[in-house]
Amino acid sequence: MWVPWHHWAVDASTPVDYIALTRAQYDELGYPPYLWAERPDTPPWTPLRAPMAESNVALIGSGGAYLSGQVAFHWNDDTGIRRIPTSEPATDIRVTHFAYDLVPAREDPNIVFPVDRLRELVDEGVIGGLAPTAIGCMGGIYSARRTVEELAPAIVAEVLAMRDAGEADVALLVPV
Amino acid sequence: MPTICLTAAYSITASVNPPRATFVDLPLGNTVGRPHDPEFQRDLLRRAFAAAEAMVQPGTITDLGVGWDGDGSWKRFASSTGVGSGDGGDDRRQRVDTPQYQYESDRLAAGG
């Protein structure tokens, strides 16, 4: 018997399958299937340059974080990035996004863009340091082509510049 | 440049297959936990970094064993919003191409 996807049993121990849910939602709306990005081949592997306790971490979050005073992201395939200083508390960090519940993250942006927590983990000695600039971007982009051709190269250029300046040894990616 | 991905969306991350990923069983938008729960958030990040250090295989997704206490009822909500849920169908927000500020004061601060 066919069961509407919104009546599926929920297993508390199994991750929510957002791909299956989106497929079912689009199908029910009569839309063609959403084309998720796929990479079936083995990803490239770059060893960690040092233990985490000796590594500077660059934070990159796609939850739509921007700093008050910066232009906010729009919701129609915004492939821009925002540079957010990490030395100050996250008081002036805002979030905007069309595809997740913004209420909790607007209470505390650290839950999608954990700059304060990373600074504390530097103090604890868990990580060696935090790159002075974090990168905010918009994870809701429907064009995989524009993500690959516009957003990804911009992030890579920023992170490699941080590496070359001795500011970052590893990138922490927090997608939303 | 080595990368560590911290994700709450297992299937989407598995599809794009990053070199090192860590998974938390939390709602989208709560990747690092609940607001104003710094110890939970720090614990989650400590686990992520420890897991990343231990990885040797490209394409690994390590489950950090982090979730909400309780019956997983948020998953019923996450799996039930939208079409057919009684609100008339498509629940996706309109994809406008003007900046979407959190506060009006942000728009003014940005000169908008």
Side-chain angles (χ1 to χ4, degrees), chain A residues 12, chain B residues 68-73:
Chain B
W68 290 158
D69 292 336
D71 59 0
S73 55

Side-chain angles (χ1 to χ4, degrees), chain A residues 43-109:
Chain A
W45 182 258
T46 306
L48 294 175
R49 305 170 88 201
M52 291 307 302
E54 298 167 19
S55 294
N56 289 332
V57 175
L59 171 64
I60 298 151
S62 69
Y66 68 99
L67 199 63
S68 180
Q70 296 177 335
V71 175
F73 295 101
H74 63 68
W75 291 356
N76 191 11
D77 290 355
D78 191 334
T79 57
I81 61 170
R82 301 291 180 271
R83 297 172 188 85
I84 298 175
T86 61
S87 57
E88 298 294 321
T91 320
D92 292 331
I93 295 178
R94 314 284 191 244
V95 293
T96 189
H97 201 293
F98 60 85
Y100 71 89
D101 177 8
L102 292 168
V103 173
R106 287 183 165 179
E107 273 183 52
D108 179 6

